[in-house]
Amino acid sequence: MGVKIDIISGFLGVGKTTFLNKILSTQTEKTVVIENEFGDVGIDANVLQGEVPVREIASGCICCGLVGEFQDAIESIVESFKPESIIIEPSGIGRPGDIMKVCEVLSKDKNIDLEVRRIITIVDVLGFEDSIDSFGFFYREQIQSANIIFLSYLREVDKLEKDRIINMIKKENSNAVIIEDDWYDFDGRHLKDILELTNTIDTKCLEKKKSLDVFSTNYIFTSLSLTYINSIEENRLKEIVKQLDREEFGKVLRAKGIIKISDGDYIHFNYTPYHFEYQKTLEKDSKAVFIGCNLNKEELKKAFSKGMYN
Ligand SMILES: Nc1nc2c(ncn2[C@@H]2O[C@H](COP(=O)(O)OP(=O)(O)OP(=O)(O)O)[C@@H](O)[C@H]2O)c(=O)[nH]1
C-alpha cells in the first residue's frame, strides 16, 4: 500500500499548525510531518507537540524554490521511516497543486508509491475577501484544490456574514466539503472523525487542479527573520503592531515569533492584518519572522532594536 499524503493548506496565519497539532494528538498511523516555513527561521516546529517526527524545510516554498529539497525529504522519509502517511504543512503562500505534481513525479520517476489522500484548506473568514482580492491567483488555488475546507475565526462573524463567505467559497469550489462548525473548539478525535468521512471522496477530481503555470510565489513575497532579539516592552510591542497595521514597514501579512518581554517572561506572538495575540511560553529562544510584500526590512529591524532600549 502506498504512503498516504495529507496536505494542510491555507493562507498565512489561518491556523494550519494549530489544526495539525490537534490531529497529531490522536494519530494512530505511522506518520511523519513535513513542515515548510517561508522564512529563514522556523517557529512552527517548536510549536508542534507529541511524538510524531517533524522534518522542517525553511527559507522558501516547497512548491517552487525548494522543490529539490522537498523531493529529497520525501525520499529519505519514505526510506528511513517507512511511514503509512505523511502530513505536509506548506507555507501559507504554498500551492497545493505544485506539491501534488512533485508527488506524482516521485511516484513515476523514483517508483515511490505516494497517494494524495486529502487536501485540507483552512480559510480565515475575516481575511477571505481581502486576500482573494490581493492574491487571487494562488489564494484561489488553495481553495480550489481542497477536498475539505475548514473555516477559522467563525466566532468573529455573525450568521449572515458566515453564509455570505461560504457562498463565495462555494463559487470557487463546489466539490469540497465545507465544515461550517468552528473547528477551533474541536478536539483531535472530532477532527479525525470529520477527516475520515472525506476518505470516500474521489480524489481523482483533484487531478485537474494541478497548477499548470510556472508562477513562483517567491517573486512577490519576501521575509525577514530576526534572531537574538533583546527584551522588549509589552507596550512597545503593541505600538509596533499598530505600525504593522498602518503598513509603515510595507505590507506585513504575517509575523510570528518568540520574544522576551521586559518582566522577564517570554511570549509567543502571532500577527496577521486581522488578528494579533500572544501568550506566555516556556521557550527561551528569541526569534521572529515577518512575511509580506515590499517589506521595509531596515525599518522593521530598527523598530525591534528601538524596543531593546526603551
Ligand atoms: N480564536 C481563534 N484563533 C485562531 C483560529 N485559527 C487560528 N487561530 C490562532 O491564530 C494563530 C496562528 O495560527 P497558526 O496555527 O500558527 O497559523 P498557520 O496557518 O500555521 O500560520 P503560518 O505560520 O502563517 O503558516 C494562533 O495563535 C492560533 O491560535 C480560530 O479559528 N479562532
Side-chain angles (χ1 to χ4, degrees):
M1 244 191 1
V3 181
K4 307 276 186 273
I5 305 282
D6 290 339
I7 301 172
I8 303 183
S9 164
F11 199 52
L12 299 157
V14 295
K16 297 179 295 297
T17 309
T18 310
F19 186 95
L20 178 57
N21 247 337
K22 284 179 187 263
I23 56 172
L24 287 184
S25 65
T26 57
Q27 202 62 15
T28 46
E29 287 173 325
K30 191 174 177 202
T31 299
V32 176
V33 168
I34 297 182
E35 180 69 51
N36 173 217
E37 298 243 41
F38 185 72
D40 298 336
V41 167
I43 307 284
D44 291 349
N46 298 37
V47 177
L48 290 172
Q49 298 149 6
E51 303 298 308
V52 176
V54 179
R55 173 76 180 262
E56 195 180 15
I57 304 177
S59 314
C61 281
I62 53 174
C63 54
C64 34
L66 300 176
V67 168
E69 217 174 301
F70 174 51
Q71 288 183 340
D72 292 348
I74 298 251
E75 268 190 87
S76 78
I77 286 168
V78 170
E79 205 181 300
S80 51
F81 286 96
K82 308 208 171 4
E84 292 166 279
S85 66
I86 299 178
I87 305 179
I88 302 171
E89 185 193 336
S91 83
I93 49 181
R95 307 176 74 190
D98 287 350
I99 295 171
M100 283 175 69
K101 252 193 303 193
V102 173
C103 293
E104 193 176 279
V105 167
L106 280 171
S107 296
K108 274 197 193 130
D109 297 356
K110 305 271 179 166
N111 215 11
I112 302 176
D113 193 2
L114 302 173
E115 183 200 325
V116 178
R117 173 169 57 184
R118 305 182 188 102
I119 300 185
I120 302 157
T121 296
I122 305 178
V123 175
D124 172 355
V125 291
L126 290 180
F128 172 81
E129 272 183 301
D130 252 11
S131 308
I132 208 159
D133 278 354
S134 308
F135 307 108
F137 40 92
F138 78 91
Y139 187 85
R140 283 204 154 87
E141 191 194 300
Q142 292 182 344
I143 294 173
Q144 290 167 354
S145 317
N147 61 342
I148 180 158
I149 295 175
F150 288 86
L151 306 170
S152 284
Y153 292 97
L154 276 177
R155 240 183 256 165
E156 296 185 31
V157 294
D158 60 20
K159 165 103 180 65
L160 215 63
E161 178 63 359
K162 170 178 158 182
D163 290 345
R164 194 176 71 83
I165 301 288
I166 289 175
N167 281 333
M168 285 194 280
I169 294 173
K170 280 185 181 155
K171 281 192 194 139
E172 298 298 328
N173 184 343
S174 55
N175 293 320
V177 176
I178 302 177
I179 305 302
E180 301 192 10
D181 294 324
D182 196 346
W183 66 268
Y184 197 70
D185 293 334
F186 293 169
D187 61 16
R189 188 63 259 159
H190 195 156
L191 288 179
K192 282 293 283 291
D193 288 345
I194 294 175
L195 292 180
E196 268 153 29
L197 285 177
T198 61
N199 274 349
T200 50
I201 284 179
D202 180 7
T203 45
K204 285 207 174 67
C205 69
L206 298 174
E207 281 294 299
K208 53 182 183 294
K209 305 290 185 198
K210 277 183 265 174
S211 326
L212 296 171
D213 56 286
V214 288
F215 168 82
S216 163
T217 45
N218 284 352
Y219 293 127
I220 55 166
F221 297 102
T222 50
S223 71
L224 168 73
S225 301
L226 301 177
T227 46
Y228 307 109
I229 308 160
N230 281 352
S231 73
I232 192 163
E233 284 194 359
E234 220 168 333
N235 284 340
R236 173 76 191 126
L237 180 64
K238 287 179 186 160
E239 243 173 66
I240 293 177
V241 168
K242 285 190 195 143
Q243 290 179 282
L244 293 174
D245 284 339
R246 292 196 295 266
E247 299 188 4
E248 289 181 21
F249 309 107
K251 195 166 178 60
V252 177
L253 297 162
R254 180 78 168 109
K256 57 183 172 179
I258 295 157
I259 43 179
K260 188 176 173 187
I261 48 175
S262 9
D263 65 4
D265 282 326
Y266 282 77
I267 56 158
H268 182 183
F269 74 93
N270 274 292
Y271 170 87
T272 72
Y274 319 100
H275 318 279
F276 171 64
E277 56 163 53
Y278 60 93
Q279 62 275 321
K280 282 186 190 167
T281 175
L282 295 176
E283 293 283 329
K284 291 199 183 319
D285 186 14
S286 283
K287 51 189 177 179
V289 175
F290 302 82
I291 301 171
C293 308
N294 304 316
L295 290 189
N296 188 337
K297 297 185 183 181
E298 285 317 308
E299 286 304 313
L300 258 176
K301 278 184 209 164
K302 260 194 241 163
F304 274 86
S305 60
K306 238 198 248 169
M308 295 182 214
Y309 305 112
N310 273 355

Coordinates of all heavy atoms in Angstrom, one line a residue, residues 8-21 35-38 43-44 47 89-93 122-124 151-156 182-185 253-256 268-272 275-279 291, ligand 1:
I8 N -2.1 20.1 4.5 CA -2.9 21.1 5.2 C -2.5 22.5 4.7 O -1.4 23.0 5.0 CB -2.6 21.0 6.7 CG1 -2.9 19.6 7.2 CG2 -3.5 22.0 7.5 CD1 -2.7 19.4 8.7
S9 N -3.4 23.0 3.8 CA -3.1 24.2 3.1 C -3.9 25.4 3.7 O -4.8 25.2 4.5 CB -3.4 24.0 1.6 OG -3.6 25.1 0.9
G10 N -3.6 26.6 3.2 CA -4.3 27.8 3.7 C -3.3 28.9 3.8 O -2.1 28.7 4.0
F11 N -3.9 30.1 3.7 CA -3.0 31.3 3.7 C -2.3 31.6 5.0 O -2.5 30.8 6.0 CB -3.9 32.5 3.3 CG -3.1 33.7 2.8 CD1 -2.2 33.6 1.8 CD2 -3.3 35.0 3.4 CE1 -1.5 34.7 1.3 CE2 -2.6 36.1 2.9 CZ -1.7 35.9 1.8
L12 N -1.5 32.6 5.0 CA -0.6 32.9 6.2 C -1.5 33.1 7.5 O -2.4 33.9 7.5 CB 0.2 34.1 5.9 CG 1.2 34.0 4.8 CD1 1.5 35.4 4.2 CD2 2.4 33.3 5.2
G13 N -1.2 32.4 8.5 CA -1.8 32.6 9.8 C -3.2 32.1 10.0 O -3.9 32.6 10.9
V14 N -3.7 31.3 9.1 CA -5.1 30.8 9.2 C -5.4 29.8 10.3 O -6.5 29.4 10.6 CB -5.7 30.4 7.9 CG1 -5.7 31.5 6.9 CG2 -4.9 29.2 7.3
G15 N -4.3 29.1 10.7 CA -4.5 28.1 11.8 C -4.0 26.7 11.4 O -4.4 25.7 12.0
K16 N -3.2 26.6 10.3 CA -2.7 25.3 9.9 C -2.0 24.5 11.0 O -2.2 23.3 11.2 CB -1.8 25.4 8.6 CG -2.5 26.1 7.4 CD -1.5 26.2 6.3 CE -0.4 27.2 6.5 NZ -0.8 28.6 6.7
T17 N -1.0 25.2 11.6 CA -0.2 24.5 12.6 C -1.1 24.1 13.8 O -0.9 23.0 14.4 CB 0.9 25.4 13.1 OG1 1.6 25.9 12.0 CG2 1.9 24.6 14.0
T18 N -2.1 25.0 14.2 CA -3.0 24.7 15.3 C -3.8 23.4 15.0 O -4.0 22.5 15.8 CB -3.9 25.9 15.5 OG1 -3.1 27.1 15.6 CG2 -4.8 25.7 16.7
F19 N -4.3 23.4 13.7 CA -5.1 22.2 13.3 C -4.2 21.0 13.3 O -4.6 19.9 13.8 CB -5.5 22.5 11.8 CG -6.5 21.6 11.2 CD1 -7.8 21.8 11.3 CD2 -6.0 20.4 10.6 CE1 -8.7 20.8 10.7 CE2 -6.9 19.5 10.1 CZ -8.2 19.7 10.1
L20 N -3.0 21.1 12.8 CA -2.1 19.9 12.7 C -1.8 19.4 14.1 O -1.9 18.2 14.4 CB -0.8 20.4 12.0 CG 0.4 19.4 11.9 CD1 -0.1 18.1 11.2 CD2 1.5 20.0 11.1
N21 N -1.6 20.3 15.1 CA -1.3 19.9 16.4 C -2.5 19.1 17.0 O -2.3 18.1 17.7 CB -1.2 21.1 17.3 CG 0.3 21.2 17.9 OD1 1.0 20.2 17.9 ND2 0.7 22.4 18.2
E35 N 7.1 20.2 7.6 CA 6.7 21.5 8.0 C 7.5 22.5 7.1 O 8.7 22.5 7.2 CB 7.0 21.7 9.4 CG 6.7 22.9 10.1 CD 5.2 23.2 10.2 OE1 4.5 22.3 10.7 OE2 4.8 24.3 9.8
N36 N 6.8 23.3 6.3 CA 7.5 24.2 5.4 C 7.3 25.6 5.8 O 6.1 26.1 5.9 CB 7.1 24.0 3.9 CG 7.6 25.0 2.9 OD1 6.9 25.3 2.0 ND2 8.9 25.4 3.1
E37 N 8.3 26.3 6.1 CA 8.2 27.7 6.5 C 8.8 28.6 5.5 O 9.9 28.3 5.0 CB 9.0 28.0 7.9 CG 8.4 27.1 9.0 CD 7.9 28.0 10.1 OE1 7.2 29.0 9.8 OE2 8.1 27.7 11.3
F38 N 8.2 29.7 5.1 CA 8.7 30.6 4.1 C 9.9 31.3 4.6 O 10.9 31.6 3.9 CB 7.6 31.5 3.6 CG 8.1 32.4 2.5 CD1 8.2 31.9 1.2 CD2 8.3 33.7 2.7 CE1 8.6 32.7 0.2 CE2 8.7 34.6 1.6 CZ 8.9 34.0 0.4
I43 N 9.5 28.6 13.2 CA 8.9 28.8 14.5 C 7.9 27.6 14.8 O 7.8 27.1 15.9 CB 8.0 30.1 14.5 CG1 8.8 31.3 14.0 CG2 7.3 30.3 15.9 CD1 9.7 31.9 15.0
D44 N 7.3 27.1 13.7 CA 6.2 26.1 13.9 C 6.7 24.8 14.4 O 6.0 24.1 15.2 CB 5.5 25.9 12.6 CG 4.7 27.1 12.2 OD1 4.5 28.0 13.0 OD2 4.2 27.1 11.0
V47 N 6.4 24.6 17.9 CA 5.0 24.6 18.4 C 4.4 23.2 18.4 O 3.5 22.9 19.2 CB 4.2 25.6 17.5 CG1 2.7 25.6 18.0 CG2 4.8 27.0 17.6
E89 N 2.6 20.4 5.8 CA 2.0 21.7 6.0 C 2.9 22.7 5.2 O 4.0 23.1 5.6 CB 2.1 22.2 7.5 CG 1.4 23.5 7.7 CD 1.6 24.2 9.0 OE1 1.9 23.6 10.0 OE2 1.5 25.5 9.0
P90 N 2.4 23.1 4.0 CA 3.1 24.0 3.2 C 3.1 25.4 3.8 O 2.2 25.6 4.7 CB 2.4 24.0 1.9 CG 1.2 23.1 2.0 CD 1.1 22.7 3.4
S91 N 4.0 26.3 3.4 CA 3.9 27.6 3.9 C 2.6 28.2 3.5 O 2.0 27.7 2.5 CB 5.1 28.4 3.4 OG 4.8 28.9 2.1
G92 N 2.2 29.3 4.1 CA 0.9 29.9 3.8 C 0.8 30.5 2.4 O -0.3 30.8 1.9
I93 N 1.9 30.6 1.7 CA 1.9 31.0 0.3 C 2.3 29.9 -0.6 O 2.6 30.1 -1.8 CB 2.8 32.3 0.1 CG1 4.2 32.1 0.7 CG2 2.1 33.5 0.7 CD1 5.1 33.3 0.5
I122 N -7.7 25.6 5.0 CA -8.3 26.4 6.1 C -8.4 27.8 5.6 O -7.5 28.4 5.0 CB -7.5 26.3 7.4 CG1 -7.2 24.8 7.8 CG2 -8.1 27.1 8.5 CD1 -6.4 24.6 9.0
V123 N -9.6 28.4 5.8 CA -9.9 29.8 5.3 C -10.2 30.6 6.5 O -11.1 30.3 7.3 CB -11.0 29.7 4.3 CG1 -11.4 31.2 3.8 CG2 -10.7 28.9 3.1
D124 N -9.6 31.8 6.6 CA -9.9 32.7 7.7 C -11.1 33.6 7.1 O -10.9 34.3 6.2 CB -8.7 33.6 7.9 CG -8.9 34.8 8.9 OD1 -10.1 35.0 9.2 OD2 -8.0 35.5 9.2
L151 N -13.2 26.5 8.4 CA -13.2 28.0 8.5 C -12.7 28.4 9.8 O -13.1 27.9 10.9 CB -14.7 28.4 8.3 CG -15.4 27.9 7.1 CD1 -16.9 28.2 7.1 CD2 -14.7 28.5 5.8
S152 N -11.8 29.5 9.8 CA -11.2 30.0 11.0 C -11.9 31.3 11.5 O -12.5 32.0 10.6 CB -9.8 30.3 10.8 OG -9.0 29.2 10.8
Y153 N -11.8 31.6 12.7 CA -12.3 32.8 13.3 C -13.8 33.0 13.1 O -14.3 34.1 12.9 CB -11.6 34.0 12.8 CG -10.1 34.0 13.3 CD1 -9.1 33.5 12.5 CD2 -9.8 34.5 14.6 CE1 -7.8 33.5 13.0 CE2 -8.5 34.4 15.0 CZ -7.5 33.9 14.2 OH -6.3 33.9 14.7
L154 N -14.6 31.9 13.1 CA -16.0 31.9 12.9 C -16.7 32.7 14.0 O -17.7 33.3 13.8 CB -16.6 30.5 12.9 CG -16.5 29.8 11.5 CD1 -17.0 28.4 11.6 CD2 -17.3 30.6 10.5
R155 N -16.1 32.7 15.2 CA -16.7 33.4 16.3 C -16.8 34.9 16.1 O -17.6 35.6 16.7 CB -16.0 33.1 17.6 CG -16.8 32.4 18.6 CD -16.1 32.2 19.9 NE -15.7 30.8 20.0 CZ -14.8 30.4 20.8 NH1 -14.2 31.2 21.6 NH2 -14.5 29.1 20.9
E156 N -16.0 35.4 15.2 CA -16.0 36.8 15.0 C -16.9 37.3 13.9 O -16.9 38.5 13.6 CB -14.5 37.3 14.7 CG -13.7 37.0 16.0 CD -12.3 37.5 15.9 OE1 -12.0 38.5 15.2 OE2 -11.4 36.8 16.5
D182 N -17.3 25.5 14.1 CA -16.0 26.1 14.5 C -15.0 25.0 14.9 O -15.0 24.5 16.0 CB -16.2 27.1 15.6 CG -15.0 28.0 15.8 OD1 -14.0 27.7 15.2 OD2 -15.2 29.0 16.5
W183 N -14.1 24.6 14.0 CA -13.1 23.5 14.3 C -12.2 23.9 15.4 O -11.6 23.0 16.1 CB -12.3 23.2 13.0 CG -11.4 24.3 12.6 CD1 -11.7 25.3 11.7 CD2 -10.0 24.6 13.1 NE1 -10.6 26.2 11.6 CE2 -9.6 25.8 12.4 CE3 -9.2 23.9 14.0 CZ2 -8.3 26.3 12.7 CZ3 -7.9 24.5 14.2 CH2 -7.5 25.6 13.6
Y184 N -12.0 25.2 15.7 CA -11.1 25.6 16.7 C -11.4 25.1 18.1 O -10.6 24.9 18.9 CB -11.1 27.2 16.7 CG -9.9 27.8 17.4 CD1 -8.6 27.7 16.8 CD2 -10.0 28.5 18.6 CE1 -7.5 28.3 17.4 CE2 -8.9 29.0 19.2 CZ -7.7 29.0 18.6 OH -6.6 29.5 19.3
D185 N -12.7 24.8 18.3 CA -13.2 24.3 19.5 C -13.1 22.7 19.6 O -13.4 22.1 20.6 CB -14.6 24.7 19.8 CG -14.7 26.2 20.1 OD1 -13.7 26.8 20.5 OD2 -15.8 26.7 19.8
L253 N 2.1 40.6 6.1 CA 0.9 39.7 6.1 C 1.0 38.7 7.2 O -0.1 38.2 7.6 CB 0.9 38.9 4.8 CG 0.7 39.8 3.5 CD1 1.1 39.1 2.3 CD2 -0.7 40.3 3.4
R254 N 2.2 38.5 7.8 CA 2.3 37.5 8.8 C 3.5 37.9 9.6 O 4.6 38.2 9.1 CB 2.4 36.2 8.2 CG 2.6 35.0 9.2 CD 1.2 34.6 9.8 NE 1.3 33.4 10.5 CZ 1.2 33.3 11.8 NH1 1.1 34.4 12.6 NH2 1.2 32.1 12.4
A255 N 3.4 37.8 10.9 CA 4.6 37.9 11.8 C 4.3 37.0 12.9 O 3.2 36.8 13.4 CB 4.7 39.4 12.3
K256 N 5.4 36.3 13.4 CA 5.2 35.4 14.5 C 6.6 35.2 15.1 O 7.6 35.4 14.5 CB 4.7 34.0 14.0 CG 5.5 33.3 13.0 CD 4.8 32.0 12.6 CE 5.5 31.4 11.4 NZ 5.0 30.2 10.9
H268 N 5.0 34.1 23.0 CA 4.8 33.6 21.6 C 3.8 34.5 21.0 O 2.6 34.5 21.5 CB 4.4 32.1 21.7 CG 4.3 31.5 20.3 ND1 3.9 30.3 20.1 CD2 4.6 32.0 19.1 CE1 3.9 30.0 18.8 NE2 4.3 31.1 18.1
F269 N 4.1 35.3 20.0 CA 3.1 36.1 19.4 C 2.8 35.7 18.0 O 3.6 35.1 17.3 CB 3.6 37.6 19.4 CG 4.7 38.0 18.4 CD1 4.3 38.4 17.2 CD2 6.0 37.8 18.7 CE1 5.3 38.8 16.2 CE2 7.0 38.1 17.8 CZ 6.7 38.6 16.6
N270 N 1.6 36.0 17.6 CA 1.1 35.8 16.2 C 0.4 37.0 15.7 O -0.5 37.5 16.3 CB 0.0 34.6 16.3 CG 0.7 33.3 16.2 OD1 1.3 32.9 15.2 ND2 0.7 32.5 17.3
Y271 N 0.8 37.4 14.5 CA 0.2 38.6 13.9 C -0.3 38.3 12.5 O 0.5 37.6 11.7 CB 1.2 39.8 13.9 CG 0.7 40.9 13.0 CD1 -0.1 41.9 13.6 CD2 1.0 41.0 11.7 CE1 -0.6 43.0 12.8 CE2 0.5 42.1 10.9 CZ -0.3 43.1 11.5 OH -0.8 44.1 10.7
T272 N -1.5 38.7 12.1 CA -1.8 38.9 10.7 C -2.6 40.2 10.6 O -2.9 40.8 11.7 CB -2.8 37.8 10.2 OG1 -4.1 38.0 10.7 CG2 -2.3 36.4 10.5
H275 N -5.6 39.8 13.0 CA -5.5 39.3 14.3 C -4.1 39.5 14.9 O -3.1 39.5 14.2 CB -5.7 37.8 14.4 CG -6.8 37.3 13.5 ND1 -8.1 37.3 13.8 CD2 -6.8 36.7 12.2 CE1 -8.9 36.8 12.9 NE2 -8.1 36.5 11.9
F276 N -4.1 39.8 16.2 CA -2.9 39.8 16.9 C -3.1 39.2 18.3 O -4.1 39.5 19.0 CB -2.3 41.2 17.1 CG -1.1 41.3 18.0 CD1 0.0 40.6 17.7 CD2 -1.2 42.0 19.2 CE1 1.1 40.7 18.5 CE2 -0.1 42.0 20.1 CZ 1.1 41.4 19.7
E277 N -2.3 38.2 18.7 CA -2.4 37.7 20.0 C -1.1 37.1 20.5 O -0.2 36.9 19.7 CB -3.5 36.6 20.0 CG -3.2 35.5 19.0 CD -3.9 34.2 19.3 OE1 -5.2 34.3 19.5 OE2 -3.3 33.1 19.4
Y278 N -0.9 37.1 21.8 CA 0.3 36.5 22.3 C 0.0 35.8 23.6 O -1.0 36.2 24.3 CB 1.4 37.5 22.4 CG 1.1 38.7 23.4 CD1 1.5 38.7 24.7 CD2 0.4 39.8 22.9 CE1 1.2 39.7 25.5 CE2 0.2 40.9 23.7 CZ 0.5 40.9 25.0 OH 0.3 41.9 25.8
Q279 N 0.8 34.9 24.0 CA 0.7 34.2 25.3 C 2.1 33.8 25.8 O 3.0 33.7 25.0 CB -0.2 33.0 25.3 CG 0.1 31.9 24.4 CD -0.4 32.1 23.0 OE1 -1.5 32.6 22.7 NE2 0.4 31.7 22.0
I291 N 6.6 38.1 7.2 CA 6.4 37.8 5.7 C 5.5 38.8 5.1 O 4.5 39.2 5.8 CB 5.8 36.3 5.6 CG1 6.8 35.3 6.3 CG2 5.6 36.0 4.1 CD1 6.2 33.9 6.4
Ligands
LIG1 N1 -9.7 32.4 18.1 C1 -9.2 31.7 17.0 N2 -7.8 31.7 16.9 C2 -7.3 31.1 15.8 C3 -8.2 30.4 14.9 N3 -7.4 29.8 14.0 C4 -6.1 30.1 14.3 N4 -6.1 30.9 15.5 C5 -4.9 31.4 16.1 O1 -4.1 32.0 15.1 C6 -2.7 32.0 15.4 C7 -2.0 31.5 14.2 O2 -2.3 30.1 14.0 P1 -1.3 29.1 13.3 O3 -1.8 27.7 13.5 O4 0.1 29.4 13.7 O5 -1.5 29.5 11.8 P2 -0.7 29.0 10.5 O6 -1.7 28.9 9.4 O7 0.0 27.7 10.8 O8 0.3 30.1 10.2 P3 1.6 30.2 9.2 O9 2.7 30.1 10.1 O10 1.5 31.6 8.6 O11 1.5 29.1 8.2 C8 -2.6 31.0 16.6 O12 -2.4 31.8 17.7 C9 -4.0 30.3 16.7 O13 -4.3 30.0 18.0 C10 -9.6 30.4 15.1 O14 -10.4 29.9 14.3 N5 -10.0 31.1 16.2

